Amino acid sequence: MKTCANLSLLFPEAGGLLERIDAAGMAGFTAVEVQFPYDDPANEILSRMAKYDMQLVTMNCPPPNYTGGDRGWAAVPELKDRFRRDFARALRFAKALGVTRMHIMSGSAEGSEARLTYVENLRWAAEQAPHMSLLIEPINRTSMPGYFLCDFDEAVRILDEVAAPNLSLLFDTFHAAMIEGDIVKVWDRIGHRVTHVQVGGAPHRHEPENHEAFFDRLRADGYGGYVSGEYNPRGLTTNGLSWVKAAT
């Protein structure tokens, strides 16, 4: 398995994104992810990562940062046109940064029309970006009230319905624990559909403690993708990176 640092949450003590890239590189990371890397020029991000032979492997769609606003709108019927415009913008940015995986956020919505909109938008996005690995992620409704995709089994049903070879599941242990409790049991059920993993401890999204059994299961199943730390460090980020050794 390969480890990765989510720079939207890790290394806050370093400052902004460019400074966090430096901090991650000095900590030994050669892969990072950023939820919304739209505020810094792509050439500056690439130049800073090149110092560490680093790759930006995952980002979120849509732009810009959702702080204080909607958590995406792929499942929001009245925002279908906006989703498609913003997906095209996100795709251009991803290509400029060499990103190979993009998480499509469903947004807050309910009901059959929202589900139909979500399926149609995902199918459309997969057709627009056949060489991009697109991800959907169940997110718990304690952290994001009203978020449409909040169930792992429903996520798998949606993957089956969209039936796109470049669409798969992002598995976040924090959200899995908040939604169902036992992350290994959730993985046993849906892990075969997962191509990207994020880890964080529940319920406060701090360092991923007691993940040894989960990492053992990933190894036993032959998971060879990234395991990314996406959590809020209790203190200095470098003091809480024991999970990196446990995951490799």
Side-chain angles (χ1 to χ4, degrees), residues 91-155:
L91 186 59
R92 289 194 297 269
F93 212 86
K95 289 180 177 178
L97 289 170
V99 175
T100 58
R101 297 167 183 81
M102 189 155 60
H103 167 214
I104 297 177
M105 303 193 74
S106 73
S108 299
E110 295 278 358
S112 58
E113 186 179 2
R115 190 183 189 282
L116 177 62
T117 299
Y118 192 40
V119 168
E120 290 178 347
N121 277 335
L122 290 173
R123 188 175 290 132
W124 175 87
E127 292 172 352
Q128 299 302 305
H131 303 298
M132 177 73 65
S133 177
L134 302 178
L135 304 166
I136 59 173
E137 175 190 13
I139 292 178
N140 80 85
R141 286 187 170 181
T142 299
S143 299
M144 291 190 184
Y147 194 79
F148 177 78
L149 189 62
C150 60
D151 180 274
F152 284 92
D153 295 317
E154 175 68 349

Coordinates of all heavy atoms in Angstrom, one line a residue, residues 91-155:
L91 N -12.2 19.4 -14.2 CA -11.5 18.5 -15.0 C -10.3 19.2 -15.7 O -9.2 18.6 -15.7 CB -12.4 17.9 -16.1 CG -11.8 16.8 -17.0 CD1 -11.4 15.6 -16.1 CD2 -12.8 16.3 -18.0
R92 N -10.5 20.4 -16.1 CA -9.3 21.2 -16.7 C -8.2 21.4 -15.6 O -7.1 21.2 -15.9 CB -9.8 22.5 -17.2 CG -10.6 22.4 -18.5 CD -10.8 23.7 -19.2 NE -11.5 24.7 -18.4 CZ -12.8 24.9 -18.4 NH1 -13.6 24.1 -19.2 NH2 -13.4 25.8 -17.6
F93 N -8.6 21.7 -14.4 CA -7.7 21.9 -13.4 C -7.0 20.6 -13.0 O -5.7 20.6 -12.8 CB -8.4 22.5 -12.1 CG -7.5 23.5 -11.3 CD1 -7.4 24.8 -11.7 CD2 -6.8 23.0 -10.2 CE1 -6.7 25.7 -10.9 CE2 -6.0 23.9 -9.5 CZ -6.0 25.2 -9.8
A94 N -7.7 19.5 -12.9 CA -7.1 18.3 -12.6 C -6.1 17.9 -13.6 O -5.0 17.4 -13.3 CB -8.2 17.2 -12.5
K95 N -6.4 18.1 -14.9 CA -5.5 17.7 -16.0 C -4.2 18.6 -15.9 O -3.1 18.1 -16.1 CB -6.1 17.8 -17.3 CG -7.2 16.8 -17.6 CD -7.8 17.0 -19.0 CE -8.8 15.8 -19.3 NZ -9.5 16.0 -20.6
A96 N -4.4 19.8 -15.5 CA -3.2 20.7 -15.4 C -2.3 20.3 -14.3 O -1.1 20.4 -14.4 CB -3.7 22.2 -15.2
L97 N -2.9 19.7 -13.2 CA -2.1 19.3 -12.1 C -1.7 17.8 -12.1 O -1.0 17.3 -11.2 CB -2.9 19.5 -10.8 CG -3.1 20.9 -10.4 CD1 -4.2 21.0 -9.3 CD2 -1.8 21.6 -9.9
G98 N -2.0 17.1 -13.2 CA -1.7 15.7 -13.3 C -2.4 14.8 -12.3 O -2.0 13.7 -12.0
V99 N -3.6 15.3 -11.9 CA -4.4 14.5 -10.9 C -5.1 13.3 -11.7 O -5.6 13.5 -12.7 CB -5.4 15.4 -10.2 CG1 -6.4 14.5 -9.3 CG2 -4.8 16.4 -9.4
T100 N -5.1 12.1 -11.1 CA -5.7 11.0 -11.7 C -7.0 10.5 -11.1 O -7.7 9.7 -11.7 CB -4.7 9.8 -11.7 OG1 -4.3 9.5 -10.3 CG2 -3.4 10.1 -12.5
R101 N -7.3 11.1 -9.9 CA -8.5 10.7 -9.2 C -9.3 11.9 -8.8 O -8.7 12.9 -8.3 CB -8.2 9.9 -8.0 CG -7.6 8.5 -8.3 CD -7.0 7.9 -7.0 NE -6.3 6.7 -7.2 CZ -5.0 6.7 -7.6 NH1 -4.3 7.8 -7.8 NH2 -4.4 5.5 -7.8
M102 N -10.6 11.9 -9.0 CA -11.4 13.1 -8.6 C -12.7 12.6 -7.9 O -13.4 11.8 -8.5 CB -11.7 14.0 -9.8 CG -12.4 15.3 -9.4 SD -12.1 16.6 -10.7 CE -12.9 15.8 -12.1
H103 N -12.9 13.1 -6.7 CA -14.1 12.8 -5.9 C -15.2 13.7 -6.3 O -15.1 14.9 -6.2 CB -13.7 12.9 -4.4 CG -14.9 12.9 -3.5 ND1 -15.0 13.6 -2.4 CD2 -16.1 12.2 -3.6 CE1 -16.1 13.4 -1.8 NE2 -16.9 12.5 -2.5
I104 N -16.3 13.2 -6.7 CA -17.5 14.0 -7.1 C -18.4 14.0 -5.9 O -19.0 13.0 -5.5 CB -18.2 13.4 -8.3 CG1 -17.3 13.4 -9.5 CG2 -19.5 14.1 -8.6 CD1 -17.9 12.8 -10.8
M105 N -18.7 15.2 -5.4 CA -19.5 15.3 -4.2 C -21.0 15.4 -4.6 O -21.4 16.2 -5.5 CB -19.1 16.6 -3.4 CG -17.7 16.5 -3.0 SD -17.3 17.8 -1.8 CE -18.1 17.1 -0.3
S106 N -21.9 14.7 -3.9 CA -23.3 14.6 -4.3 C -24.0 15.9 -3.9 O -25.0 16.3 -4.5 CB -23.9 13.4 -3.6 OG -24.1 13.6 -2.2
G107 N -23.6 16.5 -2.7 CA -24.4 17.6 -2.2 C -25.6 17.1 -1.4 O -25.8 15.9 -1.2
S108 N -26.3 18.1 -0.9 CA -27.5 17.8 0.0 C -28.7 17.7 -0.8 O -29.1 18.6 -1.6 CB -27.6 18.9 1.0 OG -26.5 19.0 1.9
A109 N -29.4 16.6 -0.7 CA -30.6 16.3 -1.5 C -31.3 15.1 -1.0 O -30.8 14.3 -0.2 CB -30.3 16.1 -3.0
E110 N -32.6 14.9 -1.3 CA -33.4 13.8 -0.9 C -34.3 13.3 -2.0 O -34.6 14.1 -2.9 CB -34.3 14.2 0.3 CG -33.6 14.6 1.6 CD -33.2 13.4 2.4 OE1 -33.5 12.2 2.0 OE2 -32.5 13.5 3.4
G111 N -34.6 12.0 -2.0 CA -35.7 11.5 -2.8 C -35.3 10.9 -4.2 O -34.1 10.9 -4.6
S112 N -36.3 10.4 -4.9 CA -36.1 9.7 -6.1 C -35.5 10.6 -7.2 O -34.7 10.2 -8.1 CB -37.3 9.0 -6.6 OG -38.4 9.9 -6.8
E113 N -36.0 11.8 -7.3 CA -35.5 12.8 -8.3 C -34.0 13.1 -8.1 O -33.3 13.1 -9.1 CB -36.3 14.0 -8.4 CG -36.0 15.0 -9.5 CD -36.8 16.2 -9.6 OE1 -37.6 16.4 -8.7 OE2 -36.6 17.0 -10.5
A114 N -33.6 13.2 -6.9 CA -32.2 13.5 -6.6 C -31.4 12.3 -7.0 O -30.3 12.4 -7.5 CB -32.1 13.8 -5.1
R115 N -31.9 11.1 -6.7 CA -31.1 9.9 -7.1 C -31.0 9.8 -8.6 O -29.9 9.4 -9.1 CB -31.8 8.6 -6.5 CG -31.0 7.4 -6.6 CD -31.7 6.1 -6.1 NE -30.9 5.0 -6.0 CZ -30.5 4.2 -7.1 NH1 -30.9 4.6 -8.3 NH2 -29.7 3.2 -6.9
L116 N -32.0 10.0 -9.3 CA -32.0 10.0 -10.7 C -31.0 11.0 -11.3 O -30.2 10.7 -12.2 CB -33.4 10.2 -11.3 CG -33.5 10.3 -12.9 CD1 -33.1 8.9 -13.5 CD2 -34.9 10.6 -13.3
T117 N -31.0 12.2 -10.7 CA -30.1 13.3 -11.1 C -28.7 12.9 -10.9 O -27.8 13.1 -11.7 CB -30.4 14.6 -10.4 OG1 -31.7 15.0 -10.7 CG2 -29.4 15.7 -10.7
Y118 N -28.4 12.2 -9.7 CA -27.1 11.8 -9.4 C -26.6 10.8 -10.3 O -25.5 10.9 -10.9 CB -27.2 11.2 -7.9 CG -25.8 11.0 -7.3 CD1 -24.8 11.9 -7.4 CD2 -25.6 9.9 -6.5 CE1 -23.6 11.7 -6.7 CE2 -24.5 9.6 -5.8 CZ -23.4 10.5 -6.0 OH -22.2 10.3 -5.3
V119 N -27.4 9.8 -10.6 CA -27.0 8.7 -11.6 C -26.7 9.3 -12.9 O -25.7 9.0 -13.6 CB -28.1 7.6 -11.6 CG1 -27.8 6.7 -12.8 CG2 -28.1 6.8 -10.3
E120 N -27.6 10.2 -13.4 CA -27.4 10.8 -14.7 C -26.1 11.6 -14.8 O -25.4 11.6 -15.8 CB -28.6 11.6 -15.1 CG -29.9 10.8 -15.4 CD -31.1 11.7 -15.7 OE1 -31.0 12.9 -15.5 OE2 -32.1 11.1 -16.2
N121 N -25.9 12.4 -13.7 CA -24.7 13.2 -13.7 C -23.4 12.4 -13.6 O -22.4 12.7 -14.3 CB -24.7 14.2 -12.5 CG -25.6 15.4 -12.9 OD1 -25.7 15.8 -14.0 ND2 -26.1 16.1 -11.8
L122 N -23.4 11.3 -12.8 CA -22.3 10.5 -12.7 C -22.0 9.8 -14.1 O -20.8 9.7 -14.5 CB -22.5 9.4 -11.6 CG -22.5 9.9 -10.2 CD1 -22.8 8.8 -9.2 CD2 -21.1 10.5 -9.8
R123 N -23.0 9.3 -14.7 CA -22.8 8.6 -16.0 C -22.3 9.6 -17.0 O -21.4 9.3 -17.8 CB -24.2 8.1 -16.5 CG -24.0 7.2 -17.7 CD -25.4 6.6 -18.1 NE -25.7 5.5 -17.1 CZ -26.9 5.4 -16.5 NH1 -27.9 6.3 -16.8 NH2 -27.2 4.5 -15.7
W124 N -22.8 10.9 -17.0 CA -22.3 11.9 -17.9 C -20.9 12.2 -17.7 O -20.0 12.3 -18.6 CB -23.2 13.2 -17.8 CG -22.7 14.3 -18.6 CD1 -23.0 14.6 -19.9 CD2 -21.8 15.4 -18.1 NE1 -22.4 15.8 -20.2 CE2 -21.6 16.3 -19.2 CE3 -21.2 15.6 -16.9 CZ2 -20.8 17.4 -19.1 CZ3 -20.3 16.7 -16.8 CH2 -20.2 17.6 -17.9
A125 N -20.5 12.4 -16.4 CA -19.1 12.7 -16.0 C -18.2 11.6 -16.4 O -17.1 11.9 -16.9 CB -19.1 13.0 -14.5
A126 N -18.6 10.4 -16.2 CA -17.7 9.3 -16.6 C -17.4 9.3 -18.1 O -16.3 8.9 -18.5 CB -18.3 8.0 -16.1
E127 N -18.4 9.6 -18.9 CA -18.3 9.7 -20.3 C -17.4 10.9 -20.7 O -16.6 10.8 -21.7 CB -19.6 9.8 -21.0 CG -20.5 8.6 -20.9 CD -21.9 8.8 -21.4 OE1 -22.3 10.0 -21.7 OE2 -22.7 7.8 -21.4
Q128 N -17.5 12.0 -20.0 CA -16.6 13.1 -20.3 C -15.2 12.9 -20.0 O -14.3 13.6 -20.6 CB -17.2 14.4 -19.5 CG -18.6 14.8 -19.9 CD -18.8 15.1 -21.3 OE1 -18.1 15.9 -21.9 NE2 -19.7 14.4 -21.9
A129 N -14.9 12.1 -19.0 CA -13.5 11.9 -18.5 C -13.2 10.4 -18.5 O -12.9 9.9 -17.4 CB -13.4 12.5 -17.1
P130 N -13.1 9.8 -19.6 CA -12.9 8.3 -19.6 C -11.5 7.9 -19.1 O -11.4 6.7 -18.6 CB -13.0 8.0 -21.1 CG -12.7 9.2 -21.8 CD -13.2 10.3 -21.0
H131 N -10.6 8.8 -19.0 CA -9.2 8.4 -18.5 C -9.0 8.9 -17.1 O -7.9 8.8 -16.5 CB -8.1 9.0 -19.4 CG -8.3 8.5 -20.9 ND1 -8.2 7.2 -21.2 CD2 -8.5 9.2 -22.0 CE1 -8.4 7.1 -22.5 NE2 -8.6 8.3 -23.0
M132 N -10.0 9.5 -16.5 CA -9.9 9.9 -15.1 C -10.7 8.9 -14.2 O -11.7 8.4 -14.5 CB -10.6 11.3 -14.9 CG -10.6 11.9 -13.5 SD -9.0 12.4 -12.9 CE -8.7 13.8 -14.0
S133 N -10.0 8.6 -13.1 CA -10.7 7.7 -12.1 C -11.6 8.6 -11.2 O -11.1 9.4 -10.5 CB -9.6 7.0 -11.2 OG -10.3 6.2 -10.2
L134 N -12.9 8.4 -11.3 CA -13.9 9.2 -10.6 C -14.3 8.4 -9.4 O -14.5 7.2 -9.4 CB -15.1 9.5 -11.5 CG -14.7 10.3 -12.8 CD1 -16.0 10.6 -13.6 CD2 -14.0 11.6 -12.4
L135 N -14.6 9.1 -8.3 CA -14.9 8.5 -7.0 C -16.1 9.1 -6.4 O -16.4 10.3 -6.6 CB -13.7 8.7 -6.0 CG -12.3 8.3 -6.4 CD1 -11.3 8.9 -5.5 CD2 -12.2 6.8 -6.4
I136 N -16.9 8.2 -5.7 CA -18.0 8.7 -4.9 C -17.7 8.2 -3.5 O -17.2 7.1 -3.3 CB -19.4 8.2 -5.4 CG1 -19.5 6.7 -5.5 CG2 -19.7 8.9 -6.7 CD1 -20.9 6.2 -5.8
E137 N -18.2 9.0 -2.5 CA -17.9 8.7 -1.1 C -19.1 8.8 -0.2 O -19.6 10.0 -0.1 CB -16.8 9.6 -0.6 CG -16.4 9.4 0.9 CD -15.5 10.5 1.4 OE1 -15.3 11.5 0.7 OE2 -15.0 10.4 2.5
P138 N -19.5 7.8 0.5 CA -20.6 8.0 1.5 C -20.0 8.8 2.7 O -18.9 8.6 3.2 CB -20.9 6.6 2.0 CG -20.4 5.7 0.8 CD -19.2 6.4 0.3
I139 N -20.8 9.9 3.0 CA -20.4 10.8 4.1 C -21.5 10.8 5.1 O -22.7 10.9 4.8 CB -20.2 12.2 3.5 CG1 -18.9 12.2 2.6 CG2 -20.1 13.3 4.6 CD1 -18.6 13.5 1.9
N140 N -21.1 10.8 6.4 CA -22.1 10.7 7.5 C -22.8 12.0 7.7 O -22.2 13.1 7.5 CB -21.4 10.2 8.8 CG -20.7 11.3 9.5 OD1 -21.3 12.1 10.3 ND2 -19.4 11.5 9.2
R141 N -24.0 11.9 8.1 CA -24.9 13.1 8.2 C -24.8 13.8 9.5 O -25.4 14.9 9.6 CB -26.4 12.7 7.9 CG -26.6 12.4 6.4 CD -28.1 12.2 6.2 NE -28.4 12.1 4.7 CZ -29.6 12.0 4.2 NH1 -30.6 11.8 5.0 NH2 -29.8 11.9 2.9
T142 N -23.9 13.3 10.4 CA -23.6 14.1 11.6 C -22.6 15.2 11.2 O -22.8 16.3 11.6 CB -23.0 13.2 12.7 OG1 -23.9 12.2 13.0 CG2 -22.6 14.0 13.9
S143 N -21.7 14.8 10.3 CA -20.7 15.8 9.9 C -21.3 16.7 8.8 O -21.0 17.9 8.7 CB -19.5 15.1 9.3 OG -18.8 14.3 10.3
M144 N -22.1 16.1 7.9 CA -22.7 16.9 6.8 C -24.2 16.6 6.8 O -24.7 15.7 6.0 CB -22.1 16.6 5.5 CG -20.6 17.1 5.3 SD -20.1 16.9 3.6 CE -18.4 17.4 3.8
P145 N -25.0 17.3 7.6 CA -26.5 17.1 7.6 C -27.1 17.2 6.2 O -26.8 18.1 5.4 CB -27.0 18.1 8.5 CG -25.8 18.5 9.4 CD -24.6 18.4 8.5
G146 N -27.9 16.2 5.8 CA -28.6 16.2 4.6 C -27.8 15.8 3.4 O -28.4 15.7 2.3
Y147 N -26.6 15.3 3.6 CA -25.8 14.9 2.4 C -26.4 13.7 1.8 O -26.8 12.8 2.4 CB -24.3 14.6 2.9 CG -23.4 14.4 1.7 CD1 -22.8 15.6 1.2 CD2 -23.0 13.2 1.3 CE1 -21.9 15.5 0.1 CE2 -22.1 13.1 0.2 CZ -21.5 14.2 -0.4 OH -20.6 14.1 -1.4
F148 N -26.5 13.7 0.4 CA -27.3 12.7 -0.2 C -26.7 11.3 -0.1 O -27.4 10.4 0.3 CB -27.4 13.0 -1.7 CG -28.2 12.0 -2.5 CD1 -29.6 11.9 -2.4 CD2 -27.5 11.0 -3.3 CE1 -30.2 10.9 -3.1 CE2 -28.1 10.0 -3.9 CZ -29.5 10.0 -3.9
L149 N -25.4 11.1 -0.4 CA -24.8 9.8 -0.4 C -24.3 9.5 1.0 O -23.2 10.0 1.4 CB -23.7 9.7 -1.4 CG -23.2 8.3 -1.6 CD1 -24.2 7.3 -2.1 CD2 -22.0 8.3 -2.5
C150 N -25.1 8.8 1.8 CA -24.7 8.5 3.2 C -24.8 7.1 3.6 O -24.8 6.7 4.7 CB -25.6 9.4 4.1 SG -27.3 9.0 4.0
D151 N -24.8 6.2 2.6 CA -25.0 4.8 2.8 C -24.1 4.0 1.8 O -24.1 4.2 0.6 CB -26.5 4.4 2.6 CG -26.8 3.0 2.8 OD1 -26.6 2.2 1.8 OD2 -27.2 2.6 3.9
F152 N -23.4 3.0 2.4 CA -22.4 2.3 1.6 C -23.1 1.3 0.6 O -22.7 1.2 -0.5 CB -21.4 1.5 2.5 CG -20.4 2.4 3.1 CD1 -20.6 3.0 4.3 CD2 -19.2 2.7 2.4 CE1 -19.6 3.8 4.9 CE2 -18.2 3.5 2.9 CZ -18.5 4.1 4.2
D153 N -24.2 0.7 1.0 CA -24.9 -0.3 0.2 C -25.5 0.5 -1.0 O -25.6 0.0 -2.1 CB -25.9 -1.1 0.9 CG -25.2 -2.0 1.9 OD1 -24.2 -2.6 1.6 OD2 -25.7 -2.1 3.1
E154 N -26.1 1.6 -0.7 CA -26.7 2.5 -1.7 C -25.6 2.9 -2.7 O -25.8 3.0 -3.9 CB -27.4 3.7 -1.1 CG -28.0 4.6 -2.2 CD -29.1 4.1 -3.0 OE1 -29.4 2.8 -3.0 OE2 -29.8 4.9 -3.7
A155 N -24.4 3.2 -2.2 CA -23.3 3.7 -3.1 C -23.0 2.5 -4.1 O -22.8 2.8 -5.3 CB -22.1 4.0 -2.3

